[in-house]
Amino acid sequence: MIRGALLLAALLTAAPAAARDHGLHAEWSAAPRLVPKGGGRGPTTYAQRGLDAATITVLPPEGAPRTLGAGAPVAFEGIGNYHLVTARSQSDGVVRTAMTARYFSEPGPAPQDLLAAKRPGFEIVPHPLPREHAHFEAGRTWAFRLRLDGQPMAGLGVTLETANGSRVVAVSDAEGLARLTFPADFTPGPGRRNAAFVVSASVEGHLSAYNDSYVPSPMDNRSLPMGAAFLVAGMAAAVPFLRRKGATP
């Protein structure tokens, strides 16, 4: 466990040369990531962070994978529900793999089979993904499965980093599952209501990560109005007692 954690820290510190050349070491994480640009129903391109892959692969909820050039726009159309997007490169003797997910709101099969499929290489996949139209949430515990060539990897140090500056560490269990409680690290008040995160781990010669975004707990949005409501209700309830106390005998 200690050895795995030290290896992960070293790999995250030593971003590949292509990433260093573009100043990506100054970002909030050096883990391999695929950052979407664009969205909605239009084509999406994916910027690479911490790796330099020549292609990206789109894994639909059913059917054959699609492989495109790294800078090519990805059109999500036809079959709906979750798609996985992944890329892989090798440098300095380390294979780096990045994965993210894209929800496409058209009818399509649930993602259980997509997540459970055994694929070559070292990868981290959510277990499970949030329900349709939902999000990863702060304050909740989310599980991620670690697999090498389709086999679960136990006893690996796993790191969650957020763009808000938090870092959480866990260890994968016998089934290769790491459970991470997302920190409530959003600044109170109006402002950005989502933030990026990445979950990463390593084994000898491999560094893999899954990245996505998360949102504050719904209770965070309710706390201020609820507090104000309780304050107003308390003041209203106190008025009759204050009037009696101030009344002339």
Side-chain angles (χ1 to χ4, degrees), residues 159-206:
T159 300
L160 162 68
E161 297 172 279
T162 76
N164 288 338
S166 296
R167 188 181 181 93
V168 179
V169 177
V171 177
S172 60
D173 64 16
E175 297 180 349
L177 291 175
R179 293 173 174 82
L180 296 154
T181 301
F182 278 48
D185 56 3
F186 287 87
T187 301
R192 186 177 60 183
R193 304 316 293 166
N194 64 72
F197 75 85
V198 61
V199 175
S200 58
S202 66
V203 293
E204 295 292 341
H206 294 269

Side-chain angles (χ1 to χ4, degrees), residues 232-247:
V232 171
M235 292 175 63
V239 167
F241 295 99
L242 292 174
R243 286 178 176 171
R244 292 176 190 172
K245 185 176 180 180

